[in-house]
Amino acid sequence: MSVPNAASDRLSHLLELADQGPALRAALAEEVAELLTHWPDDCPQHMRGMCESLLAKCARDVEPAARARLRVQLVCDPGLSARVLPREPAARMLVEVARNGGNVSDALAGALGLDNQTAAMILQDTGGEKLAIACKGGGIDRAVFSALVLTLHPCRDADAAFALLDRFDAIDMDDARAALRGWRNAPAREYEPA
């Protein structure tokens, strides 16, 4: 009789969680994302595909804020993120909301897992630096960031727009992710005017 190893136990635990229904989907998704980004040496490689499929299914079933947290968690593995959390609909939706004069704060909050007040604070930065950090930290690409900035601040001249894109490119991913986590965890009252 063989003794089960820790990796097999963890995989079994994740499969049990999957059977518990939608109430635990966000927790399951985060655990599977953690497993995939730090795949243990004693886990069989052939199990990765099953875990990726499980993560993709869970990600479809969770709220936008949970998907945004998963994007940040998976930013260190863009290929995995693209496979299990396709961005196109969320990014397109964010730009469309801005172009149609919709509530960009709500859309940004949903896309990045922020509260609405924090999203509004980020958008109130007319220089665009906070939005650049938030987009970079949340895995929103340069093209979507550019479209948002130009839609929200259409009078920006070409030199200023290119300078902002250069700043976006220069932002360190780890620093941006840390800033985004800080914004997620900060009490909303920190952004109220004094």
Side-chain angles (χ1 to χ4, degrees):
M1 179 177 170
S2 65
V3 178
N5 63 29
S8 295
D9 289 346
R10 187 170 183 188
L11 290 172
S12 295
H13 169 69
L14 294 175
L15 293 174
E16 288 172 14
L17 282 178
D19 290 335
Q20 297 298 316
L24 297 176
R25 289 283 193 258
L28 173 61
E30 290 179 14
E31 282 194 45
V32 174
E34 177 68 21
L35 177 65
L36 286 166
T37 56
H38 300 96
W39 194 260
D41 292 335
D42 59 344
C43 274
Q45 287 298 317
H46 70 276
M47 296 297 289
R48 284 187 67 90
M50 182 189 72
C51 288
E52 283 189 24
S53 296
L54 179 60
L55 179 56
K57 180 181 180 347
C58 289
R60 286 190 302 270
D61 294 343
V62 298
E63 296 177 3
R67 275 192 300 280
R69 285 191 304 274
L70 285 171
R71 283 188 210 298
V72 172
Q73 190 175 358
L74 295 175
V75 78
C76 62
D77 189 341
L80 174 62
S81 181
R83 288 190 303 275
V84 299
L85 297 165
R87 278 216 105 0
E88 187 57 33
R92 187 175 356 153
M93 180 270 313
L94 188 56
V95 172
E96 286 303 310
V97 167
R99 286 183 178 152
N100 293 324
N103 189 330
V104 181
S105 291
D106 284 348
L108 186 66
L112 297 178
L114 299 166
D115 63 68
N116 288 350
Q117 189 173 2
T118 303
M121 177 273 307
I122 290 168
L123 292 170
Q124 288 168 0
D125 172 24
T126 57
E129 187 77 19
K130 289 179 182 173
L131 183 59
I133 292 167
C135 287
K136 187 92 174 227
I140 294 176
D141 67 30
R142 185 180 195 260
V144 171
F145 167 71
S146 176
L148 281 173
V149 167
L150 293 175
T151 302
L152 296 172
H153 306 290
C155 61
R156 186 178 301 275
D157 67 42
D159 290 337
F162 286 122
L164 187 55
L165 290 175
D166 289 343
R167 284 200 308 270
F168 177 88
D169 292 337
I171 294 169
D172 179 76
M173 180 64 77
D174 290 334
D175 292 344
R177 288 171 59 199
L180 185 58
R181 276 193 307 272
W183 284 329
R184 283 184 181 138
N185 296 328
R189 68 180 175 278
E190 288 186 17
Y191 304 119
E192 293 175 4

